[in-house]
Amino acid sequence: MTQLYEIDGYHYIVDLTPYFVLGVLVIALVCAIAVLVRRILASPFRYPYYVARFNVSGRRNVRIEDYIDRHLMDPASWDAIVAHRAYIQNWKHEQEEYLKTCRLRSRRERQYAEAVDDDRAFRFITCRDQTRYKQANYVKTSYKVSMDDSELDVNWEWIVERRSRLAAINDEATLRDYHAKNQRRLMTKQLREQIARRDNYTCQICGKYMPDGVGLHVDHIVPVAKGGKTVPSNLQVLCSKCNGRKGAR
């Protein structure tokens, strides 16, 4: 890269390449320093949230609390939540030890305080699968993407309180179903089959065996009219005759 100058009738050719290269190097150095400073000043703290996703594709009137209840009632999921709670506590302890010896201590302490988010430590998200399309070489193909539908962020105290309420009803139903006014609508085909298999298709009063399901009834031990719940512990298999005799007693 050269430039022609004329001074006092004389022509001078100046090679600008070194100046151009020097300018590029200076700009690169300034950018590198800016990136380095930004990285040094950036917060090193990343709060370890617990995240659980529930796929609700094709379902209407979804209440995320129902999915959370089922998640809490699952032993493996509950163990994972408890383990993650311990992990959060350990993470906080490690960061507090780091703050005692780190540089930029006052800045790091502010960043740590901003990063700690115990009130929203547990995140529950419902998501739905959506079909999208892409075209390549005149061929249209579909693919699935998962889109978040709703989210509920809670703290450990909320989790413990909810788990205690579920344990009080022996983990037999979600809290919404257990306290629902219309208990009869909760008697689904799947629940009937579950109780029939549990009781071996046998009337719990007279002992009649009904393997084909003819005349088999799933009865509320404590009638719904008297506050009985539609939960497995309050259901039994009866034959038509015994069910008619029992009535709403």
Side-chain angles (χ1 to χ4, degrees):
M1 181 182 296
T2 60
Q3 180 68 43
L4 178 64
Y5 293 94
E6 182 179 352
I7 302 176
D8 296 333
Y10 294 95
H11 295 278
Y12 299 90
I13 298 177
V14 180
D15 186 3
L16 299 180
T17 301
Y19 301 100
F20 176 77
V21 172
L22 180 61
V24 171
L25 291 176
V26 170
I27 293 174
L29 180 60
V30 171
C31 291
I33 293 174
V35 171
L36 181 61
V37 170
R38 183 176 180 180
R39 293 189 64 178
I40 292 174
L41 297 180
S43 174
F45 307 107
R46 298 293 180 270
Y47 192 82
Y49 293 98
Y50 176 88
V51 180
R53 294 180 178 273
F54 311 112
N55 193 318
V56 296
S57 300
R59 300 181 182 179
R60 298 181 179 179
N61 302 321
V62 171
R63 287 179 60 92
I64 193 171
E65 290 85 353
D66 293 344
Y67 287 85
I68 295 175
D69 287 349
R70 297 187 188 101
H71 191 70
L72 296 179
M73 288 188 288
D74 178 62
S77 298
W78 175 248
D79 289 343
I81 290 175
V82 173
H84 197 84
R85 163 67 174 175
Y87 176 75
I88 291 175
Q89 294 299 100
N90 184 59
W91 176 84
K92 291 169 65 176
H93 175 72
E94 290 178 353
Q95 305 314 310
E96 289 165 1
E97 290 297 318
Y98 161 74
L99 289 174
K100 295 178 181 179
T101 58
C102 70
R103 297 180 179 180
L104 303 173
R105 182 172 179 178
S106 60
R107 181 180 181 85
R108 295 303 187 216
E109 287 177 344
R110 290 196 302 271
Q111 291 172 334
Y112 174 68
E114 293 172 356
V116 173
D117 195 11
D118 289 342
D119 287 339
R120 301 189 303 164
F122 297 86
R123 293 182 169 179
F124 299 96
I125 303 170
T126 58
C127 56
R128 296 180 184 274
D129 291 336
Q130 293 185 359
T131 302
R132 295 187 178 180
Y133 299 90
K134 61 182 178 180
Q135 185 168 335
N137 298 326
Y138 304 100
V139 177
K140 189 176 183 180
T141 57
S142 63
Y143 62 98
K144 297 285 187 180
V145 294
S146 181
M147 304 295 293
D148 290 350
D149 186 58
S150 62
E151 179 175 338
L152 181 62
D153 301 334
V154 298
N155 57 28
W156 173 247
E157 288 71 23
W158 188 94
I159 293 287
V160 172
E161 188 270 340
R162 190 116 185 151
R163 186 67 188 86
S164 298
R165 292 170 63 189
L166 290 168
I169 59 175
N170 299 318
D171 294 341
E172 291 193 295
T174 65
L175 294 177
R176 183 172 71 127
D177 285 349
Y178 189 80
H179 296 291
K181 292 183 178 180
N182 187 359
Q183 287 290 316
R184 295 191 183 279
R185 73 172 180 81
L186 302 176
M187 184 67 79
T188 62
K189 181 179 179 180
Q190 292 80 5
L191 181 57
R192 289 178 184 274
E193 182 61 27
Q194 175 188 340
I195 301 303
R197 289 198 305 269
R198 184 199 67 187
D199 291 348
N200 195 29
Y201 301 91
T202 302
C203 177
Q204 299 302 293
I205 294 179
C206 69
K208 181 180 179 181
Y209 182 51
M210 299 163 284
D212 55 2
V214 177
L216 183 150
H217 295 263
V218 176
D219 169 68
H220 288 81
I221 298 173
V222 177
V224 172
K226 296 183 179 180
K229 304 295 184 181
T230 305
V231 294
S233 62
N234 191 46
L235 299 175
Q236 64 179 349
V237 167
L238 294 182
C239 65
S240 300
K241 188 174 182 179
C242 292
N243 189 48
R245 288 176 179 174
K246 178 177 179 293
R249 291 179 294 173

